[in-house]
Amino acid sequence: MNKKELVTALAEHAEVSEAEAGKVLDALLCVATKELKAGGEIALTGFGTLKTTAKAARTARNPRTGEEVRIPACKAPVFKAGKGLKEAVNE
């Protein structure tokens, strides 16, 4: 499912226009990005948790040339599925 299909499904489910559903989805993505950027987390009970994790700097190898490449430390977004989502997917 891509973003357009998600907006359409949201609009049908919430019985609102696609324009309104699109605005809400864009707002959700903006707020989530800002929260994760600030180092916070988003917990949706029964669905899951979005947070960031720190990845240490490391050395990797270019598979084509065998040359060592230095990868700097960074933060990466992580999603952990909640119990309700896991159960719904496995029904």
Side-chain angles (χ1 to χ4, degrees):
M1 176 179 280
N2 62 30
K3 185 177 178 181
K4 184 175 181 348
E5 293 168 339
L6 179 58
V7 168
T8 301
L10 285 171
E12 289 174 8
H13 188 76
E15 297 177 358
V16 296
S17 71
E18 285 190 25
E20 290 172 333
K23 286 180 185 178
V24 171
L25 180 59
D26 288 340
L28 172 67
L29 296 176
C30 181
V31 169
T33 301
K34 285 181 182 179
E35 183 64 23
L36 293 175
K37 232 175 153 176
E41 70 177 46
I42 300 167
L44 303 171
T45 305
F47 185 76
T49 304
L50 278 166
K51 60 184 178 179
T52 58
T53 185
K55 289 191 163 196
R58 63 190 189 278
T59 303
R61 201 170 284 283
N62 182 331
R64 203 175 266 177
T65 64
E67 177 185 355
E68 285 190 354
V69 178
R70 184 78 178 144
I71 300 174
C74 66
K75 291 190 291 185
V78 177
F79 175 74
K80 182 178 178 187
K83 182 180 177 183
L85 179 60
K86 288 177 186 177
E87 289 174 354
V89 169
N90 287 308
E91 284 182 347

